[in-house]
Amino acid sequence: MIHVPLLEVKNLRTTFSTELGQVTAVDGVSFQVDSGETVGLVGESGCGKSVTSLSILRLFRKHSGTRLTGEIFFEQKELLQSSMEELQEIRGNRISMIFQDPMSSLNPVYTVGNQIAESLMLHQKLSKKAAQEKTIEMLTLVGIPSPDKRVNDYPHQLSGGMRQRVMIAMGLCCQPKLLIADEPTTALDVTIQAQILDLMLDLQKQLQMGILLITHDLGVVAEVCDRVLVMYLGQIVEEASVETLFENPKHPYTIGLMKSIPTIDGKRGKKLHVIEGIVPSLHQIPKGCRFAPRCPLADEKCRQHPPDLFEIARLHQVRCWHHERIGVGGVAFGG
Amino acid sequence: METSSVTIATSQPVAPSRHHVRVAMNRFFANRLAVSGSILVLFITLICVLAPLLTSYDPLEMKVQDRLKPPSTSHWFGTDEFGRDVFTRVVYGSRISMGVGFSVVVITSIVGLLFGLYSAYYRRLDNFLMRINDGLMAFPAILLAIAILAALGPKMSNVIIALSVVYIPTVARAIRSVAITVREQTYIEAIHALGGKSWRVIWLHIAPNCLSPLIVQATFIFAYAVITEASLSFLGAGTPPPEPSWGNILNDGRTIMKQAWWMTVFPGLSIMITVLGLNLLGDGLRDLLDPHTNRAKK
């Protein structure tokens, strides 16, 4: 039997037209997400993480000059070729999305109960009363105290953590097969962060859904993900299981990211590691390897020729000419 | 003992919706602008509704023997050059002013909301609708109204049409600018991500967020419409005589202002009170509905 992944993205390219010309925000990205699996998508701001997630549901304004090419299969259905009606049926029902900012992700003029119920009435064709009951059930599930009262609250009456829980309840109320979480915990403090992540994993087990977790927080990745995709400037530069990535990172960029994490036993007063240079603008993409200008290993070959994704082990891919020179744990760095 | 337990029992289970209503009412009554404005507007509205009860005269009935009588106990506001009771004419005139104002507000709000929302949501439509808007806004309001009335003929319904055409662009612009900000909010993107269709997003999610600026705008449009209707009638382009309207009573009194001051003062005061009331109400509502104004100052 051939294994069919829940979500399969093949060679996705997302191009925007701007005043300065065409910009390719996502360039040839391919990956898969299986049922019950959590895949992390990591990278700096502006590397194309969010655009990738928006591309999956085609959440771009019509006539905005956005061009999507490649293929996205969800449950064997091609999403880029689907009609708007088919997509609207999938959005919020089979694929849900949780947004980064819980403070502005809820409509201020409706109670939270109304907003969750809306999605239920929209997709599950529930009656108002049934939707209301199901809403209270969902609020209980995401751990909101006295949900029968909270259901009538307006967003401004809830704290950030509560709102994020409401967002999750909204995302999960139709029991989606795939959850796209775009930095779901960035706006929350660390204790709430842990609670929300636990909650998501708990619900994942119950519903057997796949999660695509977009984040720049490697701590979160280490905690919850099964596999990780590292993105840089619109491309995937490394893909590995979470253990492999943390024990044996092969891309200089991944190694740089790892080194930038503050450690609990690090010396006080010692400066944190930084990756030299800045992310180039998408208008001036380097000719060779995109990371070459900031890479300590870069040589003439790197500056002239863009590397391919090399499969160096099973389920471990890296986009670097020098991956062989990088030893276990990235120790031979710069050698 | 008995009474205290009763008070606790009644004060505790307050339905949330009623609670919000009470909070909103308290806030409204604490705002002096809004309260004084609404008292004036309510006063004029009552006059308009109760007109037949307030006076025993007929606004159109002429009595030559009573020509140009100054204010007295039998004619509170005096009489005009045809012997008609000015108080009665002013009272009935309020029906025209308020009627025109109200109809214009309803039409401009609905059409303005429609245009504003759709041009904010659909960029291609935006260019088209806003150029029409710009074109209409290029004319001074009163000139445009006169031009439309010249084409349609002076009639109350035509005054309403003309004033609506004149004020729709103002409402459409205000709504469009709010709707554009709302459209970019994450919660609108979230509705799209939940599979909401365009009409749902526009009417159930963007529109409610535009309501408070619409209410404020509508109150001001009401005031403008009252003034413009009076101006048009004064110029002879609006409500045709002998039907009484504040504007045409003013016009009747214009040439004899020195002999019969009451014919100019009373309709003038009526216009002033109405417009003042509406503007105060509008300012008050803006303070109340716009979360960005500092409430502590008022």
Side-chain angles (χ1 to χ4, degrees), chain B:
Chain B
M1 244 3 242
E2 188 71 12
T3 46
S4 70
S5 68
V6 169
T7 45
I8 288 167
T10 48
S11 65
Q12 212 151 44
V14 179
S17 58
R18 270 186 56 197
H19 169 74
H20 291 309
V21 170
R22 218 180 50 204
V23 169
M25 293 296 273
N26 287 344
R27 220 184 265 165
F28 181 83
F29 284 114
N31 185 307
R32 259 177 284 156
L33 286 176
V35 171
S36 44
S38 47
I39 288 173
L40 289 178
V41 173
L42 206 65
F43 172 67
I44 301 287
T45 313
L46 277 179
I47 287 180
C48 211
V49 174
L50 302 176
L53 303 175
L54 296 174
T55 167
S56 49
Y57 295 100
D58 180 330
L60 303 180
E61 188 193 47
M62 305 188 200
K63 276 197 192 130
V64 189
Q65 66 273 28
D66 285 342
R67 283 185 75 225
L68 295 174
K69 288 267 164 62
S72 63
T73 44
S74 54
H75 297 288
W76 293 351
F77 289 0
T79 58
D80 66 6
E81 75 266 43
F82 299 109
R84 294 175 298 198
D85 182 47
V86 175
F87 176 70
T88 310
R89 286 180 67 77
V90 168
V91 163
Y92 277 92
S94 72
R95 289 188 158 185
I96 304 267
S97 292
M98 296 296 275
V100 169
F102 185 74
S103 318
V104 169
V105 162
V106 171
I107 297 173
T108 50
S109 298
I110 294 171
V111 182
L113 188 66
L114 201 80
F115 282 10
L117 287 176
Y118 277 85
S119 57
Y121 194 80
Y122 295 106
R123 283 196 181 165
R124 294 206 166 164
L125 205 59
D126 185 34
N127 227 334
F128 177 68
L129 287 177
M130 284 303 127
R131 292 302 77 77
I132 296 179
N133 240 6
D134 288 344
L136 286 173
M137 282 175 120
F139 294 99
I142 206 135
L143 268 187
L144 183 58
I146 290 176
I148 296 168
L149 281 169
L152 299 175
K155 233 170 78 184
M156 186 168 150
S157 55
N158 290 343
V159 174
I160 294 171
I161 294 172
L163 292 184
S164 300
V165 173
V166 169
Y167 289 118
I168 283 168
T170 319
V171 180
R173 266 223 171 217
I175 296 298
R176 173 181 172 269
S177 71
V178 181
I180 283 179
T181 345
V182 175
R183 184 192 69 189
E184 300 302 333
Q185 297 292 314
T186 320
Y187 56 82
I188 297 301
E189 201 179 359
I191 296 303
H192 280 296
L194 281 175
K197 294 181 170 56
S198 299
W199 68 265
R200 176 177 281 276
V201 174
I202 293 174
W203 291 105
L204 298 182
H205 290 273
I206 299 182
N209 282 292
C210 299
L211 277 192
S212 41
L214 178 67
I215 292 169
V216 174
Q217 194 71 38
T219 321
F220 289 122
I221 295 284
F222 203 141
Y224 298 150
V226 168
I227 293 188
T228 316
E229 186 278 328
S231 317
L232 288 171
S233 301
F234 180 80
L235 294 171
T239 318
E243 207 60 49
S245 128
W246 293 340
N248 65 30
I249 304 173
L250 271 178
N251 189 31
D252 292 342
R254 182 176 54 96
T255 47
I256 45 173
M257 214 196 299
K258 276 191 184 148
Q259 300 93 306
W261 54 268
W262 54 89
M263 280 185 65
T264 335
V265 168
F266 292 112
L269 274 178
S270 313
I271 296 173
M272 203 200 85
I273 291 171
T274 312
V275 173
L276 178 70
L278 287 165
N279 279 337
L280 286 177
L281 183 61
D283 280 336
L285 287 176
R286 185 164 51 198
D287 289 351
L288 285 170
L289 296 173
D290 184 357
H292 301 296
T293 49
N294 189 359
R295 220 168 268 132
K297 269 198 270 178
K298 285 273 140 35

Side-chain angles (χ1 to χ4, degrees), chain A residues 61 91 104 107 110 118 123, chain B residues 183 194 200 204-205 209:
Chain A
R61 185 166 284 286
R91 288 176 185 170
S104 63
N107 193 336
Y110 291 113
E118 177 174 20
H123 292 298
Chain B
R183 184 192 69 189
L194 281 175
R200 176 177 281 276
L204 298 182
H205 290 273
N209 282 292

Side-chain angles (χ1 to χ4, degrees), chain A residues 73-263:
Chain A
F73 291 97
F74 171 71
E75 294 182 321
Q76 302 180 12
K77 188 173 169 58
E78 219 292 310
L79 295 185
L80 291 183
Q81 307 300 329
S82 312
S83 70
M84 246 335 160
E85 285 71 28
E86 287 173 306
L87 260 184
Q88 279 161 351
E89 202 37 60
I90 291 171
R91 288 176 185 170
N93 194 20
R94 315 287 298 156
I95 305 181
S96 265
M97 195 156 173
I98 299 176
F99 288 87
Q100 183 169 358
D101 184 6
M103 296 323 223
S104 63
S105 301
L106 292 167
N107 193 336
V109 302
Y110 291 113
T111 63
V112 295
N114 271 336
Q115 290 183 62
I116 300 173
E118 177 174 20
S119 162
L120 285 166
M121 296 192 314
L122 201 67
H123 292 298
Q124 315 250 304
K125 312 279 177 253
L126 292 185
S127 71
K128 209 169 179 177
K129 193 155 170 285
Q132 179 85 2
E133 275 165 20
K134 176 88 187 175
T135 300
I136 293 174
E137 196 183 299
M138 284 312 295
L139 289 178
T140 319
L141 190 67
V142 296
I144 285 184
S146 50
D148 49 325
K149 294 208 181 66
R150 285 298 187 182
V151 81
N152 293 318
D153 275 359
Y154 286 89
H156 72 268
Q157 292 167 295
L158 302 178
S159 68
M162 292 271 232
R163 285 189 220 185
Q164 194 58 284
R165 283 164 194 263
V166 170
M167 287 301 297
I168 292 177
M170 240 167 116
L172 298 185
C173 64
C174 295
Q175 310 196 337
K177 283 284 154 212
L178 176 69
L179 180 71
I180 302 174
D182 191 350
E183 311 219 12
T185 57
T186 310
L188 307 174
D189 61 64
V190 182
T191 25
I192 306 295
Q193 219 173 62
Q195 290 176 14
I196 297 282
L197 290 173
D198 281 351
L199 172 70
M200 276 174 43
L201 294 187
D202 247 29
L203 296 170
Q204 178 181 34
K205 270 188 211 123
Q206 289 180 34
L207 304 171
Q208 269 306 303
M209 62 184 176
I211 297 183
L212 179 62
L213 181 74
I214 294 156
T215 180
H216 58 245
D217 187 341
L218 285 170
V220 170
V221 168
E223 214 170 308
V224 301
C225 291
D226 301 314
R227 276 191 306 121
V228 191
L229 309 160
V230 182
M231 272 186 92
Y232 184 78
L233 220 56
Q235 288 183 331
I236 288 179
V237 292
E238 186 159 7
E239 174 181 355
S241 70
V242 80
E243 295 83 9
T244 315
L245 193 86
F246 279 87
E247 279 163 22
N248 188 18
K250 284 290 186 191
H251 197 280
Y253 178 62
T254 317
I255 296 168
L257 283 181
M258 301 279 181
K259 280 190 171 175
S260 313
I261 309 172
T263 49

